[in-house]
Structure formats: structure tokens, C-alpha cells
Amino acid sequence: MIPVNADRFLADLHHLRSIGAAGVGKGVVRPAYTEADIEARKWLAEQMRAAGLTPHFDPVGNLFGLTEGPSLLMGSHSDSQPEGGWLDGALGVIAALEVARASREAGGPPISVVSFEDEEGRFGVTTGSAIWSGNLALDKADTLSDHGGLTFAEARTAFADLAGDFVDPSRFTGFVEMHIEQGPTLDTSGEQIGVVTDIVGIRDMRITMEGQQNHAGTTPIHLRKDAFQALSAFSTAINDRFRNVVTPSTVWTIGHVSLHPNASSIVPGKVTFSMQWRDGEIDRLGRMEQIIRDTAEEIAKARGMTLSYGPMLGLDPVKMDETLRAALSKGAETVAPGNWRNMPSGALHDATNVSKLMPVAMLFVPSINGISHDFAEDTAEVDLVAGLKVLAHAAAQQ
Ligand code: GLV
Ligand code: MN
Ligand code: MN
């Protein structure tokens, strides 16, 4: 067992939270490439150096803390959603830092640390690790833009002065990511640890429907080409049409809507919205895509509107590595005997991309009330420390 220091781990976690602290409770606003994100990464790089690791930024802002020679890699991401909690990603990075640091101090196995950039998808879907793993080509990523129109190529110049090359993944023997569950399963069951079996797949694209902007008082309803009404009809129709295709664990979300010109007295002429769907089976993701495209075309045609799609982004479902999973299960049984479970991940993680390069595994700790991607996201400190210890157990077995 690597003798991790729980107080030092919690102090670092709270320090990271202070960079971009916002909203009520323990809220954080630290989206990728914002000032807070860059400040947090520079602070993390200092902590890595102080721990005896060599900090290294790659061309997209992924930050590694490297040991010399081959090592296990551990970590997650330190960017947040536009409104996020203090643990999503940050927990996995700080836990990895503590395990790596404690292992060095105790003469344990070599462990490198990573904080991937833009896991939260300001520009893509888990953008930084997708590029590192080869799941997303850098030249394609450079053309992606955020909802404000800033391109990825422009955003990543924030790291131009610090960046070296991409890190050669062959120096790592495997990757382990600790994360909050971000759902209700462990909180409801009262179990302390989840050992992840597999991670669902995701598809994500923007859809634009364009009709005719007009006066909200004088334009008869039957003559309107109203973009909001088209979106509303589309949402209702897919909810109905998905019924024969989905399972209780399939999810879909229209999370970002940009309505033009967004004024009370103007019939909106244009809408661009995000359409995201997730499931554990590639075939089902494909059938849902067909329904989405057919429905959007039907609705646009019936209303005399034009339709266009942004780039289709996505990641396929992946299974965790059996050997690393067994190491985490052994750690879980030691730290929380009889009080842990195997479970799938409905959230997406950098581990999906990294699984293309090396064996990967993940562990979860409970999210209070199952809330995440919200300022209210939290986990009991006793559970955070239990997760840290499971991670340390798994690392010690390498
Ligand atoms: C990652 O934050 C996700 O959206 O699952
Ligand atoms: Mn995350
Ligand atoms: Mn997240």
C-alpha cells in the first residue's frame, strides 16, 4: 500500500477549487482555455514539479507530470462545464497527484499524472484526450468552434508559449482514472466505491433550421416559418419516435439552443441547437441518428425551412481492462469490504480515448443526491478519501 496523505490530498483539492470558484456552495467555473483553466494548469504544473515529476504541456494544453522511464498513468481533467462542481475531473487529477507523490516518497512504483484539456467539450467531445489518442485529428479539431464562434485553433494558442510535443503514449503501461459517479446509483445504495465495467458511447452534433424572421404582431400563424416552433415539434417528435428503439438507460439531450434574434416581438428565423445522445450499443446510436436526421428533414420540409448539420462528433462504447479492474476491485474490497459494486459509466470520460492506446480502468465515488454538472455537486470527504485509498491500492499492485 502506498501511504497516501489524506489531509494533503484534501488541501490540494480545495486549493484547485479556489481557482474559478463561483456560484453557491462549492461551484466552479473553469471551462477549457479560460483564464481560470490556464491558472489552474500552471498551479498543477508547479505541484507536479514539487512532487518530483516533470511537468509537460502538449500542443493542446494536456498537462502531464512525468516520471523517468515507464510508468502507470493516472489522472482525469481540470477544466469544468460552464457551470460545474469542484470534483468533476479535479478529483481524479488531485488523487493521481497524491498517489504519485506518496509513491515517490515511499520508493513505490513510478506513477505519472495527467490533466487532459477540454474534457467537458467546449469545442468537441473530450477534445484533449481525443486528439492525444488519435480519435480526433488535430486539423479537424482546429476547425471546431465553441458556441460563441471561437475556433479551437485560436483557443489553444493560450498554451503556445508552454507547449512541447505530444507525449509518446508507449511510455505508459496503463491508465487509471478516479471520478465522481455523477449519478444516483451509489448514493442510493449507500455503497462507497464503484468499479467501472464499461463506458457508454456518445454522438453529438449541432442542427440548424432556418425559416423566415418576421414581425410577431402582423405575421399570421399559418404563414410563419418559426424556428422555435420547428425545434419544439422536432423535440416532441423524436421523444415519440425513439420509444421503439431506446432502453431505460439510453439518454438524449438538447442542452444548448441559440435562437435568432431571440426577441419577444420577432418571429425567430433561425435556430441552432445541440443534439446529443448516449447508449452502450453502437447499433442503437446509429438507429437514433437515422431517426434524428429523418425527423429533422421531415419537419424542415413541412415548414418550408432549410436544414443543416454541424460535424458529427462521438465516441464508441468501451470496456475496461480486466487486469486493472481486478486491481481496483481488490483495493475496493480492502478499503470498503462488501460495500462496493461493479457498474457501467453513463458519463463520458477521458478513459474512453485512452483505451485506444493502453489498458484502462476507472473507479467511482458517490455523488451526493446524484447531482453533477451543477454548482451543487459534492461528495462526502470520507468517500473521497476512500476512493484515494482504493486508487493507491491499485497502483501498488502494478
Ligand atoms: C462528461 O462530462 C460528460 O458529459 O459525460
Ligand atoms: Mn469529468
Ligand atoms: Mn463533466
Side-chain angles (χ1 to χ4, degrees), residues 77 79-81 88-89 119-120 179 182 347-348 372-373 377:
H77 61 97
D79 61 301
S80 82
Q81 286 287 329
D88 180 356
E119 191 275 349
E120 300 291 8
H179 207 281
Q182 309 183 273
L348 217 61
S372 184
H373 286 188
E377 168 189 291

